[in-house]
Amino acid sequence: MSAGQEKTTEARPHRWQMVIDLDRCTGCEACVVACHAENNIRISGAQEAAEGRAINWIRIERYWEGEYPDVKAKFMPVLCQQCADAPCEPVCPVYASYHTPDGLNAQVYNRCIGVRYCGNNCPYTARQFNWFDPHWDPPLQEQLNPDVTVRQNGIMEKCTFCVQRIRQGKEQAEREGRPVRDGDITPACVQSCPSTALVFGDGNDPDSQVAQMSKSRRGFHLLESLGTHPAITYLKRLDE
Amino acid sequence: MDVKRRTFMKALGLTAASTVLPGCDAEVRHLVPYVLPDDEIVPGIADWYASTCGECQAGCGIIVRVMEGRAKKIEGNPDHPLNQGKLCAQGQAALQRLYNPDRLQGPVLRTTAGSEGPLTATSWDDGVSRLAEKLRGADGQVIMISRPLSGTLAELLSTFVRSVGGKLFFYDPDSELSLRAAMQRGLGVPGIPQYDVAQATYLLSFGAPLLEQWVSPVAFGIAFGHMRQGRPTRRGRFVQIEPRLSLTGANADRWVPIRPGTEGLLALGIGRLLLTAGKADLPQKERAAFERFYGSIPLQEVATGTDIPLDQIKDMARTFADAEHPLAIGGGAACAHTNAFAAHLAINGLNALAGNLNREGGVRWYPDAPFPERTDVEWLSERRINELAQASAVGRQRPLLLLYDCNPLFTLPSTIPIRRLFTNASFIASFSSCLDESTAMADLILPDHSRLETWGDHVQDGSSPRRGASLIQPVVTPLYNTRALGETILDLTRRLHPETELPRTFAELLRKRWDGLATSGQSRPPASPSRWVQHLQKGGWWPSNSTTMQKLRTSFPAPAYEPAQFDGETSDFPLHFYPYPSPTLGQGRGANLPWLQELPDTLTSAIWGSWAEINPATARSYNIRQGDIVRVHSPHGSIDAPALHYPGIRPDVIAMPIGQGHIDYGRYASHRGANPLSILAPLFDAASGALALGATRIRLEPLAVPGDLVLLEHPGTKAGTDLLSIEKPRRAEG
């Protein structure tokens, strides 16, 4: 983390962060379905997907290394990096993408006018645009999570770190008159991950698991050279 | 046919529970997480119910979030010892089985003979009485094929089918029967034991897809994470041996592309090296048997046969011998050949040679089940189905066929005349909740509830250290006019054996059996309504500590190693063919769930279709471009699929995922992709009779027309737009 970031974090109560241990990730995609179920992500179908219009807030990128027979495939879950210096934010003409006090890159759906500048500016392809209205064959709409808005045609959307769960966790802590404990809040992807490759928590709490793990020598950030200061730290997969 | 009340009840294990059960008083009902009546639902407040997942046989604990009486999300049950709050993609997608738009909404009947007539709706009373009538007239010629069941429903069904003089079979294409048979022979355990991957330091996997839909995917996922990074000072090493790099293989430190069908041969070589190095700690008497078995093939022959350099084999053997907790697992590709049973004996024997039975990081079995187990239900192998089908073709008997939640017409190759078993049946009744290829042949369908609408239980198998049982409970009121299979069976029993005194509902039967749980020894407190409520809230019952372990011993000599057989002459069919269960769709069961159809295959990013994986070098020699259709010819037919250049496959192998190619399985699955099972030869594992998935040879015919391959990566662009290739030149610039 840069010195500048540390300075700005003092005023913030939380800095939500994630650590993704690539040595644990098996590419099983439990996180992907968890995200679809939690966040009412539309089902695109084969045709729209073939046109590049499918929506995934989290995807597993796969990298081939080497040539047969010494070939390896490596996985990397990629989702919105919730950058501290997010390229998507300053370009929005209507302040639909803005920085929350907790350090999240939020997307205010009812401000969004669909200019897609933010998606254009995101180096991680984390933002995805709704080119069509969502559709669920009845009664599949019954599965929709009432805590999460369904996005219509013309709206940009992306991973929110399951902001509805963060809010719920904070409210619960407030009701009980205590600070949010480490582990109280888990986004859907983190919760489902069988091998515990994903860990979530408050980076401003020095004792939290994320704060500890992000100090690992294996740690790196995605496209670090761009200076976006992501909230997600990846831990390198080890080789033999 | 003549089953007296006493025997029926005894068979169900109910005779002990003769005391009057206290009804649910108001206070208790308040605690019970039963489905809430409408007036107790608070809008906007989520209720959580514990239950058990039914997508595979593992039986993970789930909790379901319900709002306004509608199930919203399925998550892992944190209290469940097996999955500890985690859940795989398939388990989560099971929500779409409840809300599947193609579910059958009530009993339907075919009024005209044959499978062509239209299905018309009927009442439950009419449907059940028709089936009872047919069962009465069947004269004991009844065959029931069901997906493997557990607990109370398995008991009830098996008792019922016996009471009508019929035979119940369990059938699951994923059951890895050759591995089970080898476990029975080699270790004397009736199932797949616990492989303690979490504590292993060197994991040698012969094709076992343990990080996919295999045996117990979530438990293996948890264990894998622990093996890699859960111990402060050591990281377990992992080698995967298989002709095609699977999702599991991608997670290994090293992939060994072995020649198809020679997994057992490699295990012989490694075992021989362990024995000659004097690493195996065996009594003198057993040692001779082991040496005979493992010494049967010279090392150089092993290296040539497996297509693995001798040095590499020696290196694997050395590392295995020196590792603190070495562990050998076979499955998947090693189960796919005619010599699978022998191969598994050789692979499992490595654990015995390494002194790896009954200990941490090794192989263990826990025999103490909370309920007496049914062992008399036969698991159908594909060879057995073949025999049944052949017999029905020549015999004059026309059996009555009952089907539950399995689809043999899709999961069996067309070379097995299973269709004849169907067309020859005097009457077919299905209890499946969706139309599929097999249920579409039925004369009568009495659709089961969805898993989230029904009662039941699941007994964990002996691979679980805290071996208990999980409860299945309804979390929503049924959406449609369907009925739980248990209720239908009770109804049928009442009609066929009116003298039998039965519990009013299946839930009552379940409850009585669970009350018996507390009195069946094992020092548990007596049954009480509040205990039942606790079980429901927790999602089941598990002992707090590890149960007793069975001392495993390997018994050799085993049958000698045999080479795998293949169908098709090498000259006409130069390539091997390996259809593998899709990591997302399994053997096709998941294909009607849109979440799983749209879930990218991790290694290829392909969605909504099927494809044929081809080594880029082979593709060049055939001049096949990515996405072009290839026609795959086997001696038994051909299928078309778009080609996908896949770096992780031997040049002499073509692989295809199983799961697509449905004809009749709802709007999301039907007429999408191709079913690679359809062109397989009827070759089986010699000992267990399991279908040898990889035993068919093929040739390729490039059609040079683009197919409908949908990939999530680089839509419409050339390679090089991914994150790493953007970053690499930047880093180089400094």
Side-chain angles (χ1 to χ4, degrees):
Chain A
M1 231 184 255
S2 70
Q5 246 182 301
E6 271 161 27
K7 206 165 62 190
T8 52
T9 52
E10 271 167 29
R12 292 186 192 130
H14 303 289
R15 169 82 174 115
W16 302 115
Q17 294 186 336
M18 191 184 282
V19 170
I20 301 182
D21 189 342
L22 300 180
D23 208 30
R24 281 179 183 256
C25 174
T26 66
C28 74
E29 297 194 312
C31 51
V32 180
V33 175
C35 178
H36 276 243
E38 175 74 19
N39 292 303
N40 299 338
I41 293 174
R42 57 195 285 262
I43 298 152
S44 304
Q47 183 59 36
E48 289 176 19
E51 291 163 2
R53 307 293 189 228
I55 291 183
N56 287 290
W57 288 8
I58 180 168
R59 62 179 188 268
I60 311 288
E61 297 206 340
R62 179 265 302 115
Y63 296 94
W64 289 110
E65 286 177 6
E67 295 261 328
Y68 179 86
D70 296 312
V71 64
K72 267 191 177 176
K74 292 187 172 172
F75 303 130
M76 184 160 67
V78 178
L79 57 159
C80 172
Q81 304 287 304
Q82 310 286 354
C83 309
D85 296 302
C88 58
E89 285 167 2
V91 293
C92 181
V94 292
Y95 303 98
S97 52
Y98 88 111
H99 214 69
T100 72
D102 283 0
L104 298 177
N105 310 132
Q107 176 74 2
V108 185
Y109 299 131
N110 54 7
R111 285 183 190 163
C112 179
I113 54 170
V115 293
R116 292 177 278 132
Y117 293 170
C118 57
N120 218 20
N121 233 25
C122 171
Y124 307 104
T125 339
R127 292 179 160 263
Q128 291 173 344
F129 188 67
N130 283 280
W131 292 90
F132 308 97
D133 274 334
H135 169 76
W136 285 272
D137 292 322
L140 279 176
Q141 80 283 356
E142 301 279 10
Q143 80 201 3
L144 294 177
N145 182 356
D147 297 345
V148 177
T149 316
V150 171
R151 286 79 56 188
Q152 300 295 315
N153 180 5
I155 302 291
M156 187 62 86
E157 64 178 74
K158 66 168 206 44
C159 163
T160 63
F161 265 1
C162 285
V163 69
Q164 67 281 4
R165 290 181 175 217
I166 295 177
R167 180 155 308 145
Q168 210 167 35
K170 282 163 77 175
E171 281 171 5
Q172 183 69 27
E174 211 174 294
R175 267 198 298 277
E176 291 170 19
R178 57 169 175 86
V180 176
R181 287 177 303 232
D182 192 31
D184 268 2
I185 300 170
T186 47
C189 53
V190 175
Q191 184 186 35
S192 69
C193 181
S195 57
T196 325
L198 312 179
V199 175
F200 180 83
D202 184 358
N204 279 0
D205 170 3
D207 299 326
S208 71
Q209 218 187 336
V210 269
Q212 296 292 328
M213 286 177 74
S214 56
K215 284 187 251 166
S216 163
R217 286 211 320 243
R218 292 193 286 132
F220 69 98
H221 296 112
L222 222 45
L223 304 184
E224 210 153 4
S225 57
L226 295 178
T228 54
H229 301 114
I232 297 182
T233 307
Y234 288 87
L235 304 186
K236 198 171 150 274
R237 177 173 160 182
L238 294 176
D239 278 316
E240 220 178 349
Chain B
M1 286 291 266
D2 183 25
V3 178
K4 297 275 181 294
R5 181 211 162 238
R6 207 66 208 156
T7 36
F8 201 94
M9 297 292 273
K10 196 170 174 187
L12 290 171
L14 284 183
T15 38
S18 56
T19 45
V20 180
L21 289 151
C24 290
D25 55 59
E27 197 194 333
V28 170
R29 192 176 298 135
H30 187 69
L31 278 169
V32 173
Y34 290 121
V35 176
L36 288 171
D38 282 355
D39 56 333
E40 283 182 35
I41 291 173
V42 184
I45 300 291
D47 299 305
W48 293 86
Y49 298 91
S51 189
T52 309
C53 181
E55 289 302 292
C56 74
Q57 289 169 42
C60 291
I62 54 172
I63 50 172
V64 187
R65 182 178 190 230
V66 179
M67 291 181 87
E68 284 92 47
R70 288 282 175 256
K72 295 294 178 189
K73 192 163 185 292
I74 303 179
E75 295 178 357
N77 180 354
D79 287 336
H80 200 284
L82 188 65
N83 59 317
Q84 301 164 30
K86 316 292 191 176
L87 198 61
C88 72
Q90 286 70 27
Q92 300 184 72
L95 189 59
Q96 295 193 325
R97 292 207 185 281
L98 172 68
Y99 296 125
N100 199 298
D102 298 314
R103 261 182 79 182
L104 289 162
Q105 307 196 356
V108 285
L109 178 73
R110 212 183 296 277
T111 39
T112 50
S115 59
E116 300 306 313
L119 288 164
T120 47
T122 183
S123 69
W124 272 99
D125 184 55
D126 178 58
V128 176
S129 69
R130 271 171 200 267
L131 181 55
E133 198 52 48
K134 293 282 178 191
L135 283 167
R136 243 179 242 125
D139 195 24
Q141 291 296 312
V142 178
I143 295 175
M144 174 151 195
I145 306 177
S146 161
R147 73 180 293 209
L149 299 170
S150 168
T152 309
L153 187 58
E155 286 282 340
L156 177 66
L157 208 58
S158 139
T159 311
F160 167 75
V161 176
R162 204 146 17 102
S163 81
V164 297
K167 194 143 172 46
L168 171 67
F169 298 101
F170 285 158
Y171 169 61
D172 178 3
D174 279 324
S175 52
E176 304 279 51
L177 288 178
S178 52
L179 177 58
R180 286 171 192 272
M183 285 300 172
Q184 183 74 58
R185 168 74 76 87
L187 299 176
V189 293
I192 298 172
Q194 182 201 21
Y195 294 109
D196 190 6
V197 170
Q199 299 301 338
T201 55
Y202 185 62
L203 177 59
L204 203 54
S205 158
F206 295 77
L210 52 128
L211 300 174
E212 294 155 59
Q213 287 190 50
W214 190 71
V215 183
S216 192
V218 180
F220 275 124
I222 295 171
F224 176 81
H226 193 268
M227 178 186 95
R228 287 301 209 189
Q229 290 293 333
R231 297 168 290 188
T233 52
R234 60 164 68 148
R235 172 181 184 269
R237 284 177 66 198
F238 176 20
V239 174
Q240 180 86 355
I241 303 151
E242 56 191 0
R244 172 207 173 252
L245 181 81
S246 64
L247 178 60
T248 308
N251 288 291
D253 297 301
R254 183 173 289 264
W255 169 50
V256 182
I258 191 172
R259 178 168 289 140
T262 61
E263 288 84 357
L265 187 61
L266 176 64
L268 283 188
I270 293 175
R272 185 191 178 112
L273 286 163
L274 291 179
L275 281 162
T276 45
K279 295 285 185 182
D281 176 28
L282 292 167
Q284 198 51 46
K285 206 170 71 193
E286 285 177 29
R287 195 183 173 86
F290 272 91
E291 275 169 355
R292 251 195 326 279
F293 180 70
Y294 283 102
S296 58
I297 313 245
L299 280 178
Q300 196 51 52
E301 231 172 275
V302 172
T304 338
T306 56
D307 197 18
I308 302 171
L310 190 54
D311 286 346
Q312 201 178 344
I313 299 177
K314 284 184 175 159
D315 182 54
M316 281 191 271
R318 207 169 23 244
T319 323
F320 196 81
D322 294 343
E324 190 183 346
H325 295 294
L327 181 60
I329 306 183
C335 279
H337 294 282
T338 56
N339 61 351
F341 172 75
H344 284 307
L345 281 179
I347 295 163
N348 288 324
L350 296 181
N351 290 318
L353 288 180
N356 207 15
L357 305 179
N358 313 308
R359 66 166 194 159
E360 192 179 87
V363 180
R364 295 184 280 202
W365 181 260
Y366 303 90
D368 286 341
F371 297 116
E373 276 180 297
R374 270 241 98 82
T375 47
D376 57 351
V377 181
E378 185 184 338
W379 286 53
L380 271 185
S381 68
E382 284 81 3
R383 186 174 58 202
R384 185 86 167 88
I385 297 180
N386 195 27
E387 285 162 11
L388 286 175
Q390 303 280 7
S392 96
V394 292
R396 272 175 295 126
Q397 309 275 19
R398 297 190 66 205
L400 190 154
L401 187 60
L402 302 175
L403 276 179
Y404 176 59
D405 211 4
C406 62
N407 189 4
L409 282 187
F410 178 82
T411 52
L412 289 171
S414 48
T415 46
I416 294 176
I418 175 80
R419 192 167 283 273
R420 250 184 271 163
L421 186 68
F422 278 69
T423 50
N424 244 5
S426 61
F427 189 77
I428 304 171
S430 171
F431 304 100
S432 304
S433 62
C434 266
L435 274 186
D436 56 29
E437 285 79 0
S438 307
T439 291
M441 301 276 288
D443 302 292
L444 173 69
I445 309 173
L446 301 173
D448 185 24
H449 280 336
S450 127
R451 185 78 160 193
L452 299 182
E453 299 163 331
T454 194
W455 287 100
D457 55 357
H458 178 97
V459 182
Q460 271 167 268
D461 67 16
S463 68
S464 174
R466 287 174 62 197
R467 193 172 179 189
S470 324
L471 276 166
I472 303 159
Q473 63 166 322
V475 306
V476 293
T477 45
L479 257 57
Y480 304 119
N481 183 25
T482 54
R483 200 186 268 187
L485 175 63
E487 302 292 349
T488 312
I489 297 296
L490 285 177
D491 192 357
L492 279 168
T493 312
R494 255 179 235 116
R495 288 169 200 253
L496 291 169
H497 312 289
E499 75 288 355
T500 313
E501 199 177 303
L502 285 169
R504 254 180 333 111
T505 60
F506 182 71
E508 203 176 300
L509 175 67
L510 178 77
R511 168 93 191 257
K512 284 188 183 172
R513 200 150 173 271
W514 273 69
D515 286 345
L517 168 78
T519 51
S520 65
Q522 299 197 32
S523 68
R524 289 174 203 142
S528 70
S530 63
R531 264 188 76 81
W532 172 244
V533 173
Q534 277 170 20
H535 292 328
L536 277 179
Q537 283 179 328
K538 267 186 72 178
W541 175 88
W542 310 276
S544 42
N545 298 313
S546 293
T547 44
T548 334
M549 225 161 63
Q550 181 178 324
K551 206 87 175 120
L552 298 177
R553 292 181 56 80
T554 310
S555 50
F556 272 85
Y561 177 77
E562 56 199 85
Q565 292 169 31
F566 294 93
D567 187 84
E569 289 300 320
T570 326
S571 50
D572 296 338
F573 300 96
L575 298 165
H576 289 282
F577 187 48
Y578 178 49
Y580 60 93
S582 152
T584 53
L585 306 178
Q587 297 243 18
R589 214 176 109 77
N592 65 340
L593 308 182
W595 275 340
L596 295 184
Q597 281 280 4
E598 198 146 308
L599 187 65
D601 174 73
T602 316
L603 281 161
T604 62
S605 85
I607 51 177
W608 289 103
S610 42
W611 61 92
E613 290 166 7
I614 181 167
N615 186 297
T618 315
R620 267 195 304 279
S621 71
Y622 278 87
N623 201 12
I624 297 169
R625 281 174 310 181
Q626 166 116 327
D628 276 4
I629 300 264
V630 288
R631 185 158 291 169
V632 181
H633 293 275
S634 88
H636 307 279
S638 66
I639 49 170
D640 293 352
L644 193 144
H645 292 187
Y646 191 83
I649 190 166
R650 284 176 61 92
D652 58 351
V653 177
I654 301 295
M656 263 186 85
I658 305 169
Q660 303 281 19
H662 283 278
I663 299 156
D664 208 342
Y665 194 36
R667 67 193 71 183
Y668 305 109
S670 298
H671 310 294
R672 185 177 296 289
N675 181 4
L677 295 171
S678 63
I679 60 166
L680 296 189
L683 284 182
F684 310 96
D685 168 44
S688 66
L691 180 68
L693 283 177
T696 308
R697 301 187 65 99
I698 54 140
R699 79 184 139 82
L700 281 185
E701 182 192 345
L703 296 189
V705 287
D708 49 359
L709 180 64
V710 183
L711 301 183
L712 211 62
E713 61 179 2
H714 324 308
T717 58
K718 289 266 183 295
T721 55
D722 59 72
L723 293 178
L724 287 192
S725 39
I726 296 172
E727 181 72 348
K728 267 177 193 153
R730 289 181 158 276
R731 292 232 164 153
E733 284 162 23

